[in-house]
Amino acid sequence: AGMGHRGRQNNNNAARAIRKCCCPGTCRYPDDCIDPDDAYDAVKVICNNENCDEGKWMHKDCFEEFQDSVLAYLRSCGRARSWSEKQRLQNLWTKKGYDLAFKACDCKCGRGHIRKDLDYIPPPLNDNAKKAKKHKKK
């Protein structure tokens, strides 16, 4: 019984922290919420509106799609036109590129812009989590 109680308690904590994917477009997995304590391969983002509660996490696939759209926008921006694809990708989330690209990064909160959180260190992925995730999706 003690074990069951501990499990139940954890579920309550997780329910509070769980996040919806905040990609500005259409999320590919609208029913698949992101648990920051077990983010798997989700990408952490930050919104520059400090009161924002939307812009926190994106599914990896959603983030890559979002990043592609921002890179496409960056291709049409002044200085960035002369950059190589590699440079665009390197500069995108640093001040150099983001100063040009932020207009393509509207947050769902409507009051700020999101960017990849470069300070976030994702936890190492272990194979067990990966197998469990794949299994759960089917």
Side-chain angles (χ1 to χ4, degrees), residues 43 60 63-75 79-101 105 115-118:
V43 179
K60 183 171 185 273
F63 175 79
E64 282 169 4
E65 224 165 77
F66 162 66
Q67 181 169 268
D68 284 345
S69 72
V70 181
L71 284 168
Y73 175 81
L74 201 53
R75 276 180 214 119
R79 300 197 295 274
R81 280 194 199 126
S82 59
W83 298 350
S84 69
E85 283 298 305
K86 192 178 174 194
Q87 284 173 311
R88 277 190 206 109
L89 192 56
Q90 279 173 332
N91 295 342
L92 178 54
W93 303 117
T94 64
K95 186 161 173 25
K96 195 172 179 181
Y98 192 71
D99 278 356
L100 299 169
C105 303
R115 66 194 300 166
K116 185 176 185 180
D117 183 350
L118 299 176

Side-chain angles (χ1 to χ4, degrees), residues 109-127:
C109 73
R111 297 218 178 91
H113 298 95
I114 46 178
R115 66 194 300 166
K116 185 176 185 180
D117 183 350
L118 299 176
D119 298 327
Y120 171 70
I121 314 287
L125 293 181
N126 63 36
D127 287 342

